[in-house]
Structures are given as C-alpha cells and as structure tokens.
Amino acid sequence: MKKLTCIFLAVLMVLSLAGIASAEKTDKTFTFTMAGDVGDLSPFGGDSGGRHHTYRMMYDCLAASKGLGKSINELEPQIAKSWTVADSKNIDVEIFDYVKDSQGNHITASDVVYSYQQAIASGTMEKLNGYLDTIEATGEYTLHITLKSDSMGAMEWVMDTVPIVSEAWFSNASDADKTQNPAVTGPYILKETVADSHTTLVRNDDYWQTDESLRAYYDSDTFAVITLNVARESSMRTIALENRETDGAQNVNSAEVAFFMNDPAWNVQPVYNGRMNVIMFNNDNSVFADNQALRQACLYAIDADAVRLGYGYLYGAASKDFSPAVSGDYLEKWKNEDYFDYNLEKAKELMAEAGYPDGGIEVTLMYQNSTNATSGLTVLQNNLADIGVKVNLMPADQALFNSYKYDDTKWDIIVDSKATSDFATAVWENCFDTKAFTNGSACFTHDDELQRLLMEAASSATHSEETLDAFHSYLKEKAYGAGLFEFQTFYVFQSGVTETQQDGFGNMTVTGLTFADDFQTLAK
Amino acid sequence: MIRYVLKRLLLMIPILAGVAILIFTLMYFVPGDPVEIILGPAATQAQVDTVREEMGFNQPYLVRLGTFLKEILVNHSFGNSYIYGTSVGAELASRFPKTLTIAAFSIILSTIIGIPLGINAAIHANKAPDHISMFVSMIGVSMPNFWLALMLVVLFALQLHWLPSSGDKGWNYYILPVVANAVGGIAGIARLTRSSMLEVIHADYVTTARAKGVPERVVIWQHALPNALIPIITMLGGRFGGQLGGTVVIEQVFSIPGVGAYLINAINNRDYNAVQGSVLYIAFTFSVVMLLVDLVYAYVDPRIKAQYEGQSKKKRKVRSSGKAVSQNG
Amino acid sequence: MSEHRSDFLSVRDLVVHYHSEGKTVKAVNGVSFDLGKGETIGLVGETGAGKTTIAKALMRILPVHSVEHTEGSVTLEGKELMSLPEHEMQQLRGRALSMIFQDPMTALNPVKTVAEQIAEAVRLHNNVSRSQALDRAKEMLTMVGISADRAGEYPHQFSGGMKQRVVIAMALACDPQLLIADEPTTALDVTIQAQVLEMINDLKEKLSTSMIMITHDLGVVAETCDTVAVTYAGQIIEYGTKEDIFDHPTHPYTVGLFNALPNMNDNAARLSPIDGLPPDPTNLPQGCAFSPRCPYATDACRKGVIENYTVSGVHTCRCIRAAKEEV
C-alpha cells in the first residue's frame, strides 16, 4: 500500500512538474482587436498605444516590469540574468550567454551597448536620453550603466524599455527590413503588418530562452499565431466581440461594456492604466497668475465626477492628487483628503477673496479635440459659469494642441491627459521640472520652492512619504494645477482567458494573459 | 486624337508641380508637427525641442522645399513616413488597389441602380413612378454613410452572420463597404439622369426615332440615353476621381487600409512626407481620371471628338491651300 | 364629306385635346379628309392651327402624357389605325407611313452616323442583315443626292439642307405608301428649298407615294399639291383641288390668306394682313372660330355648329356664306 502510494505520488509529482515546466507548444491562435494602429514596429520606432501592445512580444529588453510602479528589485529578468545596484545612479548587469535573435545572431554585451546607442540616436527615446549617462561592456556578457538622474523610476526605465538587437543585423538592415522584417529577440516574429488593418505575429520556435522557468511573463508562447486587428471605431470593436470575430478587445466603450459584464462567456477586465486628466492654469500670462484664491475657487467649483461622466467614462473617480492612484508611491492618506471636492459655497467665498465677488471673468480653455472631451468640458464650462467665470472652449487637434501647449499666449486653462508607468513623481516631473521647460513648467510656473520640493520628492535618494506629501500639499495649496479625474478602461476577453496581467504601461499584452487549457479561438 | 492625349499628359506636369509646392507650403504653415506624436505624450518640452531640431523642422522654408523637391525629382521617392517608418510610396502602392476596389465597385453599383431609376423617373415625369424614384434616391442621400455602414454591419454581420464585420481579408469583406459607399451616390446619379433625360426625351430626334417605328425601349436606351450621358459622365468621373482619394469614413469604420485612412491619419499626425506624397498621388490619379473621362466623351459624342481633332485639323486645312474644302451645300 | 372618295387614306372626325397648365387645349376639333393613292394633299394654316397635331395623330406619336383626349377614325388602306395595338403600329411606322419633320437641325440623332440611322429604319421593317441594310442606306443617300462615301459621317458634319435630305432618305427608305411632310422646307433658305421640293416630287412620282404636305407657304402648295385643306383652329374650313382653292377661294379666311401675299406687281405701300389674332385654343369662340376676325360675320355665325357646305364638286367650305352661294 505504501509502495503504491509512493509510486502514485511520484507519478503525480512528475506530471505536475511537467505541467508547470511545459507551456505546451500548441497550434492555437489568438485574435485581439486594438483601438489604434501598431505604428512603427522597428526596434526603435515612435511611440503609440498600438506599439505598446505589440513590441514587447517581439523584442526582449534587459528586464521586464510585471505591472505598474515596480521598483528595480521587483523587475523580472529577461535578457539580463541578474543585476547589482551599486548606488542610485550605478548598476552592474550580467546577461545570459546564450541569447540569440530570430535570425541566429548571438547577442553579447556589446550588442546591448549598441542597442542603447541606437535607441538614443533614433530620436524616439528622448526620455531614455534624459536618464542614461553611459553604458559600457565590462566583459563579454557583463555591462555597467551610469545614470544622469536619480529620479524615481529612472533606473527601472533604463532597464525595461529598450529593445535589444544584434549589431550585426541592425547595422546592415535596410529601413524596410527594420519595419517589416526585423530580427527579434522575443518569442514572436513579425510576419506581416498592414497599417490600419492587422498585424500578424508568428511564434519564434527558435526562441533563445529555452528554460521556461527563467522566462519573463512577456515571453510565454502558448500561441502559434497571434493576430492583432485594428478597429478604430469603438462600436466596431464591440461588434467584433459580439460577432465572435475576436478573442479580446481593448478599450471597449464603458457604455457598451454592460452587455458583456454579466455574461459568463466573457471576461471583462476594468483597468486603471495609469492615465488621468489634469487641469492646469496659465500661471504667468493670464488672470490666474498671482491669484491663488481665484485658482482655488475655480477648482472647488468644478464637479470632477460630473465632468468625468460627461466624458462618457462611467467608471472612475475624481482625482486626489496630480497623479493617478495606481502610482507605486501614491500615499493612501491622500485618498481621504479633501482635494478640491466639489463645493460651490466655498468656491464663491474664494471668488470674493480673489477680488471677483460677482465673477465677470472670461477665459479660454484649450483641450485636445474629441467628442468625449467636448461633452465633458461642457459640464466644466457650466460649473465655472456658476461662479461667474465664462469659459470659451478651444478644442485643438493633437498636433496643434502639442504645439500650442507651450505657448503662454494661447490659453488660460488647459485640460490634458497625463500618465505614468510607475511613480507619481514621474507625472510631477513631467509637468513641473523647470529644467525641462523653457518657460518654467507645463503651466508656466516660476516657483523655486515648488522646484525644490519636487527635486526632493523625485530623487530616489530622498524619495519618502514626507517628501512626497510635502510636494503634494504645497502644490495643492498653490493650486497651479490639479488632477481632475481618472477612469477605467475596459478590456473584454472571451471566457477562455482566465487571468490577465497589466504590464508596466498599464496595458494588457497577449503574452501576459493566462488561458484555460481548452482555450479555443473564436475567430475563424 | 493621339496629339490630344499627349497634350493633356504634358499639361499634367505643371499641374502636379503646382500641387506639390502648394501642399508643401500649406503643411509648412499649419501649426504643429509630428515630433511630440513620435515621442509620446510623456515627452517634455526640452525633449521635443531637441528632436525637432534633429529632424530638421527648424530649417527655413526654401531649404525644406528644396529637400522635398529633390527627394521627388532625384530620388523618385516621397520619403519615409515619420510615424510608421515605412516608405510612403510603397504604402500608397499597396493601399491604392483597395481604395480602387471600393471606389470602382461602388461607382458601378451606384450607376446600375441610379441610371435606371433616373430614366424611369424621366419617362413617367410628375407621375407616381417619378415621385417614388426620387423619394427612394432622396432617402439614399439623406442617410449619413457611417450610420448606414453601422446599420448594415448590425444586420448582415451581427444578426444574419452572412458577412464579416470589418477587415479586408477576402472579397466578401468588401461587400458591405461597397454597398454603404454606393448608396449615397445613387441619388445624385438618379437626379442628374432624370433631368438630363427629360431634356433629351423631348428632342426632335427622339420623335423621329418613334416615327420610324423604333420600339419604345430602344428609343429610350439607344436613342435618348446616349445623348443624355454627357453630364452624367462628368458627374461619375468627378465622383470616381474623388473617391480614388479615399473614402475615409468607410475605411475607418470597416478597418480597410486604404488611401483615405492613411491620409487622414497622416494629417492628424502632421506626418509631412505621408501627406505630401498622398496629395500628389491623389492629384495624379484625379488628372488621369479626368483625361479618361474626356476620352469617354469623345467616344460617346462624335461632335466632341471632332472638337478635339479639329484643333489639329484646322492647322492642316490652312496649310493645304488650293484644296476645295467645302463639305457643305 | 360623307363618302370615301378613295380607298387609300380616310380621316373622319379626328379630335385631339391636350392638357397644359391646368387648361384643355383644343388642338384638333373634328377634322375629316380623304387622300387617294399617289395624291398629295396640302394642309395649310397658320402656326398653331393644329396641323402638326393632325400629322402626329395619324402616326400616333402624340406625347402620351400631355394628351387628354383623342377621338375619330383613321383608315389606311382599309385598316383602322386609331385602335391598333402599339406593337402593330410600330410595325407600320416607317414602313407604311412615315414622316419628315420640320427642323432638320435637330431631327437627326447627333451620336449616330447618318447611314446607321437610315439602316435602322430598314432593319426594323425588313429581315435583312446589317450590311444589306447599310447598302440600302447608301442607296437612299445617293438617291437624295448625297455621296455614298459620306455614309459614315455624323449629322453635325452636314449643312441644314443636306440634313433634310438625310431625313427624307430615312423617311423613304422603306418605300412607305404615305409620307407626311411637316413643313419640310420652312427651316431652309430659298434655293435649297427649291432643290428639296423638286427631289420630294421626283421621289413621290417614282415610288407613287401619297403625301400629306403640311405648310403655311402657299407657294409650296402650288408646287407640290393636288388637293388643299385649309385649317383654322383645329378644323378644316375649306377643302378642294388646287385650282378650286387658288382660283376660287371661298372662305373669308382663305381669301384673307391670298390677299396677304405680297404682290410684286402691286404698288401697295403696305401689306394687307388679316385683322386680329388666331384664337386661343383653350378658349375657342362659340360658333365659327373665325367670326371675331371675319368682316362678314353675323349673329348666326356666332352660334352653333357651322356645317360644311359644298361649293362645287369636291370643293367644300365651312361658312354660312358658302351656303348662300350654293346652288
């Protein structure tokens, strides 16, 4: 009896180990519908939402971030086998010695250095350029990285966003090769991509990381073929789901998501993907300059939840800081504070204090044009009308918005969308770090105290609850700008997707999902 | 006739040159550029300024114009897209057939339905069939085509499962886009056919044909219609040429990677190379279509053909002196 | 006119009313006449008298949607045309009876060659091949004095006179028994006019075609017609042989027509037109339609239906004065 039990347990163990160790190489396929185009899939192509969903399946970086706001010790190894943080600006990295790309080129530390140099030379990774000082190979499979900045998230950014490619391939590849037929270090090879239509990825059967226990979550290769379809119209994405033409869709309209929510055939995933809307005042060249009471009055007059609903985001919340609540360093206590919570009485008091007891101000509000935004900001316009502030809405298309937002003659109030992949300080720096702007900041502030507090909070050396709270409170008091609201976006997957995983940008990549054993694609 | 065609082809060159300079200048003056879109919304002003300088967007107008023209004339290329990194020319070449498919088939469909509708209305002018035909075509033109597209998808894809909802992976993916696009054109064609036919139906030569004993159907289709065709051809030509520039709404709704979607996104992204290349391509195809339309006129109406040839004939007449030229009397 | 004078063409009590802008236009109000084989009748009258309507009524090519009402009988060689089914009528048009229209500039289809248009008529009524029809077309062109190598040319390449010849060729291509010529020379200048009339006469004799010659020009009548019917306000108000009408015009209107002709030998400083204007066909006067303009009108003229009185032989006149002169 005991012998039988032993044998039985042994067999069970072997089977379960086999189960863990082998992500079966099946013939299964997966179809995913995206809201936008993948854009440029060459290793260092320009940014886009679609690219974010795709390129990490094709290219491995040194490390991978399994979720938002991960610190350096929480990253998963990819091409880097291990790393040692010497101090806040120095890190030593050792890479695997058997890395190769899909065309068979062997990857060494010098290829890694080359990749980083090319990334910066491409001009599309300016943020990297702001963080990275030097990178050099210290051995065939070891390197040393020095950072320019010790901001929170800098080291992580440098480790987990740069695709690694082979110098031998990249230096000889034509432009067409780089975009249509790149040699990849990830588990999927690009078979074809047709802009505005679809992208097809095919499993790389020769993927270098043969030891599956060492793979990062991005590198699972359950599917033989992954097809990414583009459907820009949100109703077309919903139809694709209903019509069973796809296994999952991104960014399903919150008004239509109810259809899928109570249906066991579908797995609805609401996500806060680190994106939020902020409102800022023109603090140098408008009626808001030098009038803190006026700025605060306006913020109290705005019913952020109503504005959010006006935008059509049925699920979400008003902001409590100038950063999204999913940030890794977001303080819990902020969630219970009064952060310009809608209070018309207080707003009117403050208006009197500001010197405008009966209102009588006219201002221009600029925002990036979309039907959602216009609806939502009409609510805001009404709110401010209640305290006598007449708002002229000025919608601008994306490119125009981008060029006008740094021009202090163009707007008095701006509503913009901000995001972070890791820390609140990233958003703060992005808007308020004087060093990055020619006119003070994104809202034209010239406040040395603000800058000092920002630097203290952002530097990984002094990053702490106290410094974070100090900046948060100071900014709140000054009311130069404030977070407006966050909202959930919805991914809808068929029920064969059992678990989902947000990556470091808040997106859900197909390879990060977990599937039932009997998963079958819906698409024909 | 050959001389006429050659002359028209030569005329296209200054037209295209003018279009090239015009579109370049327009894009130059439009505020905004692709830099921040390439870098992403998290880019700071400093980063954007650096890259803008690197990409040469701060250079003076003439320098940039010169680079652009050189790229076309010397390298025979429209350059690469700033957003996709791919060659603009290659992208247009692969998208053109899809746009062409949609444009051609929807024109054919609009014509097959619109012309008989218009003829029917003209024959029974001011009576019930006329009112019905005009009413039906009015409905067609009143429906916004994106709404119609979605309704067709809901019916044929979602409810009946007869057709796929979006994409371009096979011939059946084109059915709904073509239908949605064709409906709007039916009204215009029907109305124009109706008015053109009404003029022609009362013409004397139609009465002559009847007096010869020609059956009514033949009178309408072989005697009246060919004479009514000239304005209809003009309209069809203009419409087809315009649609070759891309049926943006249809392409967006059905996710068909055509020229329209490419151009619209390029404009939003200020993807200069893609916009310039696309506009020049559209100018070229439109000119070619207009030339073809003019040649069709000559085929349909011999008086127009004579006009085209007359210009060269006149010169010949003058040269051969002493020849009795009179064809009249 | 109560007996059939001949067996060829017989029109009895033809009535055609149009509607236009809510009113009824009484274009033809009881027209009757006969025509013998090989004869030519001239239908004379001012513009608007209803002559073209009579012609189109015979051919049954009146515009279907404007016609309110037609009545009467038309017998061609014993066959009643008014009640014939359309497809049978189509077979007769162009073959048994054909028509030449007034304006040659617009009578031909601009996008077809002249040979094609003639050949079409031939093929419709004869079982021949395309090339045989084209040969016949070329024959007809030659017959009307147009060189056969111009067969492949388009109407716009011909002058007015040549176009009219083509029209005539087209009308005669199938040897019709009855030819209706609606003011065939009105749009042409005088020298061409003479040529065309001569040609029509030649062909008529060669092919023994009967003809209805519609015209307002008495000179044309003199050249080509055997009998004459003078029309006014949709009725035939005087009928007779050419000699009857020219030598003994009876109806005051007919008299007025002849008086209105300029006379080269006269030293008159002014022309003498007929006073007044033709009546409004939507609002015809009671009794005799000419009474408002007639110098001899009496009360009796303004009442009731005016009978058609025989003057002598076949010469008839729809006037009370004619009755008084009746022997």
Side-chain angles (χ1 to χ4, degrees):
Chain A
M1 197 51 209
K2 226 178 175 178
K3 213 177 181 187
L4 269 175
T5 321
C6 275
I7 298 176
F8 177 72
L9 282 172
V11 169
L12 205 61
M13 201 169 71
V14 169
L15 283 175
S16 58
L17 272 175
I20 295 169
S22 69
E24 299 130 32
K25 298 236 189 288
T26 63
D27 283 337
K28 299 191 191 206
T29 64
F30 192 87
T31 302
F32 183 66
T33 304
M34 299 197 293
D37 209 51
V38 292
D40 184 348
L41 287 175
S42 66
F44 311 112
D47 193 68
S48 75
R51 181 184 156 88
H52 275 297
H53 275 92
T54 315
Y55 85 114
R56 287 309 246 112
M57 296 194 269
M58 290 163 55
Y59 302 105
D60 278 354
C61 302
L62 285 178
S65 175
K66 190 169 181 178
L68 289 157
K70 299 299 174 196
S71 72
I72 188 77
N73 301 316
E74 293 168 310
L75 298 181
E76 290 191 347
Q78 257 195 324
I79 289 192
K81 187 159 136 185
S82 65
W83 51 87
T84 322
V85 177
D87 60 42
S88 62
K89 287 186 183 173
N90 284 284
I91 181 170
D92 289 288
V93 179
E94 187 188 346
I95 64 172
F96 287 101
D97 59 7
Y98 52 93
V99 184
K100 63 179 182 330
D101 71 18
S102 57
Q103 291 180 11
N105 300 302
H106 187 60
I107 304 287
T108 61
S110 71
D111 290 302
V112 176
V113 171
Y114 178 81
S115 301
Y116 276 77
Q117 288 167 342
Q118 287 304 312
I120 292 181
S122 76
T124 58
M125 301 190 81
E126 269 305 299
K127 189 166 173 180
L128 177 71
N129 198 16
Y131 289 155
L132 182 68
D133 188 14
T134 62
I135 175 170
E136 52 187 16
T138 52
E140 200 177 351
Y141 300 107
T142 53
L143 8 104
H144 183 85
I145 299 177
T146 320
L147 304 176
K148 285 180 199 161
S149 149
D150 68 350
S151 287
M152 288 300 295
M155 190 175 284
E156 292 80 356
W157 184 269
V158 169
M159 287 290 286
D160 70 8
T161 59
V162 181
I164 305 299
V165 293
S166 146
E167 179 171 1
W169 166 69
F170 193 85
S171 52
N172 291 319
S174 67
D175 281 343
D177 281 337
K178 289 179 193 164
T179 47
Q180 306 275 12
N181 197 9
V184 299
T185 43
Y188 281 91
I189 301 176
L190 177 65
K191 177 158 173 235
E192 99 175 319
T193 177
V194 181
D196 296 316
S197 174
H198 65 278
T199 300
T200 312
L201 299 175
V202 163
R203 178 168 55 218
N204 179 2
D205 286 317
D206 231 1
Y207 180 55
W208 61 272
Q209 186 57 284
T210 43
D211 184 346
E212 290 183 18
S213 63
L214 295 175
R215 286 193 188 174
Y217 78 104
Y218 271 135
D219 299 319
S220 87
D221 57 358
T222 321
F223 296 102
V225 180
I226 297 180
T227 308
L228 302 162
N229 287 331
V230 177
R232 289 184 193 266
E233 281 287 313
S234 77
S235 42
M236 292 308 283
R237 291 195 288 281
T238 312
I239 288 178
L241 285 166
E242 282 183 66
N243 207 25
R244 288 172 157 64
E245 291 176 17
T246 184
D247 298 309
Q250 170 211 10
N251 222 333
V252 174
N253 196 312
S254 61
E256 291 166 14
V257 98
F259 176 87
F260 302 102
M261 268 186 177
N262 296 316
D263 188 341
W266 301 102
N267 184 349
V268 177
Q269 289 292 326
V271 290
Y272 279 111
N273 61 355
R275 186 160 282 280
M276 67 185 296
N277 280 27
V278 301
I279 179 170
M280 293 188 280
F281 299 102
N282 182 338
N283 294 296
D284 197 28
N285 189 9
S286 80
V287 71
F288 294 107
D290 305 319
N291 195 337
Q292 179 174 305
L294 179 61
R295 298 194 293 269
Q296 288 188 348
C298 289
L299 292 174
Y300 274 110
I302 295 172
D303 182 354
D305 269 318
V307 173
R308 170 178 62 79
L309 289 171
Y311 265 77
Y313 298 127
L314 300 180
Y315 303 89
S319 294
K320 292 290 190 176
D321 177 51
F322 200 92
S323 69
V326 291
S327 307
D329 54 353
Y330 198 90
L331 297 184
E332 275 304 307
K333 68 189 209 86
W334 294 341
K335 292 184 183 172
N336 302 316
E337 278 180 12
D338 166 36
Y339 188 79
F340 303 112
D341 296 345
Y342 180 57
N343 189 334
L344 196 54
E345 286 310 308
K346 186 152 185 191
K348 287 185 178 160
E349 280 169 27
L350 285 163
M351 279 300 277
E353 216 183 286
Y356 298 100
D358 302 309
I361 312 177
E362 198 171 322
V363 293
T364 304
L365 188 153
M366 182 169 87
Y367 63 100
Q368 204 169 314
N369 192 14
S370 77
T371 28
N372 287 0
T374 306
S375 308
L377 292 175
T378 309
V379 174
L380 189 147
Q381 189 183 38
N382 269 347
N383 288 157
L384 290 182
D386 287 342
I387 50 167
V389 176
K390 178 166 191 271
V391 172
N392 295 322
L393 291 179
M394 181 173 114
D397 79 348
Q398 191 181 9
L400 194 64
F401 182 81
N402 289 339
S403 72
Y404 279 179
K405 68 183 182 188
Y406 301 126
D407 185 342
D408 69 359
T409 61
K410 295 288 186 221
W411 51 269
D412 301 305
I413 308 180
I414 194 171
V415 171
D416 197 0
S417 161
K418 288 291 161 197
T420 183
S421 59
D422 38 32
F423 302 104
T425 49
V427 183
W428 296 345
E429 279 183 295
N430 185 267
C431 289
F432 293 105
D433 185 355
T434 311
K435 303 195 293 294
F437 295 91
T438 54
N439 192 0
S441 71
C443 50
F444 316 120
T445 51
H446 300 279
D447 186 334
D448 294 331
E449 177 66 8
L450 185 74
Q451 180 68 9
R452 185 187 72 76
L453 290 169
L454 173 62
M455 288 297 100
E456 275 196 8
S459 159
S460 50
T462 48
H463 183 262
S464 70
E465 259 193 52
E466 287 78 29
T467 50
L468 283 167
D469 203 30
F471 180 85
H472 164 89
S473 306
Y474 186 76
L475 179 58
K476 189 164 79 159
E477 193 199 317
K478 286 294 181 186
Y480 291 133
L484 204 48
F485 63 84
E486 305 179 74
F487 52 94
Q488 288 184 313
T489 60
F490 292 89
Y491 284 83
V492 176
F493 295 101
Q494 56 135 300
S495 55
V497 172
T498 50
E499 273 174 49
T500 61
Q501 172 63 48
Q502 270 184 302
D503 70 6
F505 291 94
N507 297 318
M508 292 189 176
T509 318
V510 174
T511 46
L513 305 173
T514 316
F515 307 92
D517 290 330
D518 59 349
F519 177 89
Q520 282 300 333
T521 181
L522 293 178
K524 294 156 214 66
Chain B
M1 230 16 215
I2 307 284
R3 288 164 95 104
Y4 175 75
V5 174
L6 281 176
K7 192 174 68 148
R8 289 289 300 265
L9 287 173
L10 283 175
L11 269 176
M12 283 208 292
I13 296 176
I15 290 176
L16 290 176
V19 169
I21 296 180
L22 190 62
I23 186 63
F24 176 83
T25 310
L26 276 174
M27 288 306 287
Y28 179 84
F29 284 112
V30 164
D33 60 34
V35 176
E36 186 163 326
I37 295 171
I38 296 171
L39 291 179
T44 62
Q45 189 181 18
Q47 292 163 356
V48 171
D49 286 343
T50 315
V51 177
R52 184 174 286 137
E53 180 67 40
E54 277 169 19
M55 293 185 122
F57 292 140
N58 287 337
Q59 288 173 316
Y61 171 74
L62 283 174
V63 172
R64 286 175 64 186
L65 178 63
T67 318
F68 168 59
L69 290 174
K70 189 178 94 159
E71 188 73 24
I72 296 182
L73 295 171
V74 175
N75 297 342
H76 303 296
S77 139
F78 290 129
N80 284 353
S81 154
Y82 290 113
I83 303 296
Y84 296 109
T86 49
S87 148
V88 171
E91 198 63 44
L92 286 173
S94 76
R95 284 167 181 262
F96 175 66
K98 302 186 205 254
T99 301
L100 177 65
T101 308
I102 297 183
F105 282 105
S106 48
I107 288 276
I108 290 174
L109 189 59
S110 303
T111 308
I112 290 178
I113 299 180
I115 288 189
L117 216 55
I119 292 178
N120 189 41
I123 296 176
H124 301 107
N126 298 317
K127 297 236 172 40
D130 179 17
H131 297 309
I132 293 174
S133 299
M134 288 298 108
F135 181 70
V136 166
S137 61
M138 181 77 78
I139 292 182
V141 84
S142 311
M143 295 193 275
N145 60 350
F146 59 86
W147 176 85
L148 177 65
L150 287 172
M151 291 298 109
L152 288 173
V153 168
V154 169
L155 176 59
F156 289 99
L158 215 46
Q159 308 269 18
L160 296 172
H161 300 295
W162 287 354
L163 293 168
S165 70
S166 64
D168 69 325
K169 301 188 181 71
W171 64 267
N172 55 334
Y173 285 79
Y174 283 89
I175 295 179
L176 290 180
V178 166
V179 171
N181 200 31
V183 170
I186 291 177
I189 294 175
R191 293 197 83 87
L192 188 59
T193 305
R194 177 187 183 274
S195 58
S196 192
M197 280 297 281
L198 276 176
E199 273 178 38
V200 164
I201 265 180
H202 296 303
D204 285 342
Y205 53 84
V206 171
T207 318
T208 306
R210 289 201 187 106
K212 282 198 294 198
V214 178
E216 191 63 17
R217 198 179 39 85
V218 178
V219 169
I220 296 295
W221 286 88
Q222 291 186 20
H223 283 263
L225 184 60
N227 283 286
L229 272 181
I230 299 291
I232 300 175
I233 292 173
T234 310
M235 175 201 234
L236 284 178
R239 205 176 149 82
F240 184 57
Q243 295 213 324
L244 280 184
T247 42
V248 173
V249 170
I250 298 293
E251 288 171 18
Q252 289 272 68
V253 171
F254 290 100
S255 296
I256 303 227
V259 173
Y262 189 64
L263 179 56
I264 269 288
N265 290 326
I267 293 173
N268 283 336
N269 292 332
R270 304 293 191 278
D271 191 347
Y272 296 128
N273 287 342
V275 173
Q276 284 149 198
S278 302
V279 170
L280 271 174
Y281 146 83
I282 289 174
F284 177 74
T285 45
F286 198 81
S287 303
V288 169
V289 168
M290 285 295 105
L291 174 59
L292 289 173
V293 166
D294 286 340
L295 292 178
V296 171
Y297 288 153
Y299 175 73
V300 166
D301 189 341
R303 292 170 289 186
I304 293 182
K305 183 170 181 195
Q307 249 177 42
Y308 295 161
E309 292 173 338
Q311 280 138 18
S312 32
K313 255 199 189 151
K314 264 193 203 141
K315 294 180 185 144
R316 269 185 260 141
K317 265 193 192 170
V318 168
R319 262 185 260 136
S320 58
S321 53
K323 217 175 175 187
V325 214
S326 169
Q327 288 181 314
N328 303 330
Chain C
M1 189 97 45
S2 47
E3 345 130 3
H4 294 252
R5 260 187 63 246
S6 75
D7 281 333
F8 185 63
L9 174 70
S10 188
V11 178
R12 288 286 174 271
D13 304 315
L14 187 63
V15 174
V16 179
H17 291 170
Y18 293 118
H19 50 238
S20 160
E21 287 162 31
K23 296 195 221 161
T24 305
V25 177
K26 298 193 175 139
V28 180
N29 301 302
V31 161
S32 307
F33 62 89
D34 288 332
L35 187 61
K37 202 149 171 57
E39 268 183 18
T40 303
I41 180 174
L43 274 181
V44 182
E46 291 162 288
T47 317
K51 316 185 296 286
T52 307
T53 310
I54 295 173
K56 287 190 178 174
L58 293 185
M59 298 280 296
R60 281 187 48 196
I61 52 173
L62 291 167
V64 174
H65 294 303
S66 347
V67 168
E68 194 177 285
H69 168 67
T70 60
E71 220 178 85
S73 126
V74 175
T75 326
L76 183 67
E77 291 198 305
K79 206 188 285 190
E80 171 60 53
L81 296 183
M82 296 310 269
S83 54
L84 219 53
E86 177 62 20
H87 67 270
E88 282 185 42
M89 192 67 208
Q90 276 173 11
Q91 287 171 353
L92 290 182
R93 286 191 205 116
R95 181 162 61 85
L97 68 167
S98 69
M99 190 159 165
I100 300 170
F101 294 90
Q102 180 172 337
D103 186 355
M105 303 303 280
T106 54
L108 293 169
N109 194 330
V111 303
K112 289 179 187 270
T113 63
V114 298
E116 263 171 35
Q117 297 190 47
I118 301 174
E120 182 180 24
V122 175
R123 296 238 324 282
L124 275 169
H125 302 297
N126 300 296
N127 198 2
V128 292
S129 71
R130 279 207 70 157
S131 57
Q132 284 173 318
L134 276 171
D135 286 339
R136 171 80 178 142
K138 288 186 191 162
E139 234 178 82
M140 291 309 298
L141 284 172
T142 321
M143 208 189 291
V144 298
I146 297 178
S147 153
D149 356 313
R150 298 194 71 186
E153 291 186 15
Y154 290 92
H156 69 270
Q157 294 171 278
F158 293 85
S159 69
M162 302 294 271
K163 282 209 257 270
Q164 191 62 304
R165 293 187 197 206
V166 173
V167 172
I168 292 167
M170 202 159 69
L172 295 175
C174 300
D175 287 335
Q177 285 101 42
L178 172 66
L179 176 67
I180 305 176
D182 188 355
E183 310 213 31
T185 55
T186 308
L188 303 171
D189 62 58
V190 180
T191 44
I192 309 297
Q193 192 170 315
Q195 283 177 16
V196 171
L197 284 177
E198 196 182 308
M199 186 179 62
I200 292 180
N201 272 338
D202 282 342
L203 291 169
K204 194 192 73 169
E205 273 166 36
K206 213 191 305 186
L207 307 168
S208 1
T209 318
S210 308
M211 191 159 79
I212 299 178
M213 172 66 85
I214 298 175
T215 179
H216 60 261
D217 185 340
L218 292 167
V220 169
V221 175
E223 286 242 3
T224 59
C225 301
D226 301 313
T227 52
V228 183
V230 182
T231 56
Y232 188 81
Q235 285 184 315
I236 296 183
I237 48 107
E238 185 161 359
Y239 174 88
T241 65
K242 186 162 62 179
E243 292 74 21
D244 287 339
I245 301 298
F246 275 72
D247 297 333
H248 308 289
T250 311
H251 198 286
Y253 175 64
T254 318
V255 174
L257 280 181
F258 281 104
N259 284 344
L261 287 174
N263 192 336
M264 269 179 56
N265 301 324
D266 219 341
N267 275 333
R270 312 184 109 198
L271 297 170
S272 29
I274 306 175
D275 277 334
L277 292 167
D280 177 3
T282 61
N283 192 10
L284 290 173
Q286 297 273 37
C288 173
F290 189 62
S291 49
R293 302 165 80 183
C294 182
Y296 309 105
T298 63
D299 280 334
C301 300
R302 295 184 245 274
K303 293 203 260 287
V305 175
I306 312 295
E307 293 285 330
N308 209 3
Y309 301 99
T310 310
V311 176
S312 75
V314 297
H315 187 178
T316 59
C317 176
R318 205 180 277 272
C319 177
I320 298 179
R321 285 177 71 240
K324 295 198 183 101
E325 290 171 23
E326 198 175 35
V327 172

